[in-house]
Amino acid sequence: MRLMLHGCAYWIWWKLRAACLKRSPWRRVQFDTLRLHLVKLAATIVEKKTRIIVTLPASCPRKGLLLLLFDALAPPKTA
């Protein structure tokens, strides 16, 4: 079970890193660096029926990167 959870976590980090811009230095960082800069934030998360709302603090140093990742990982919009 631990191996399966570790594999799933690795896949999620790999998808986050792959969602970065091709020439971005974030595309080649180690997973520990991503964890330190992206996960360890003081954000408010509200889960609705059809969407998830993430409110970042006004002084978030990685706000641009997070917004880029949220847009890249969002499901495609239907007409």
Side-chain angles (χ1 to χ4, degrees), residues 46-59:
V46 178
E47 188 176 345
K48 301 278 185 167
K49 184 176 180 180
T50 59
R51 62 184 173 169
I52 298 172
I53 299 172
V54 178
T55 307
L56 298 171
S59 63

Side-chain angles (χ1 to χ4, degrees), residues 6-71:
H6 181 46
C8 291
Y10 182 86
W11 182 82
I12 290 171
W13 285 119
W14 182 78
K15 284 299 257 186
L16 276 175
R17 195 170 68 174
C20 292
L21 296 174
K22 289 187 178 184
R23 295 182 184 243
S24 171
W26 292 101
R27 188 127 178 169
R28 294 179 302 276
V29 298
Q30 295 179 358
F31 293 143
D32 187 46
T33 306
L34 278 176
R35 182 183 62 85
L36 287 174
H37 289 282
L38 298 181
V39 174
K40 292 189 170 190
L41 293 174
T44 304
I45 300 173
V46 178
E47 188 176 345
K48 301 278 185 167
K49 184 176 180 180
T50 59
R51 62 184 173 169
I52 298 172
I53 299 172
V54 178
T55 307
L56 298 171
S59 63
C60 181
R62 306 280 182 235
K63 192 172 189 176
L65 175 64
L66 287 170
L67 293 175
L68 177 91
L69 288 175
F70 291 156
D71 287 339

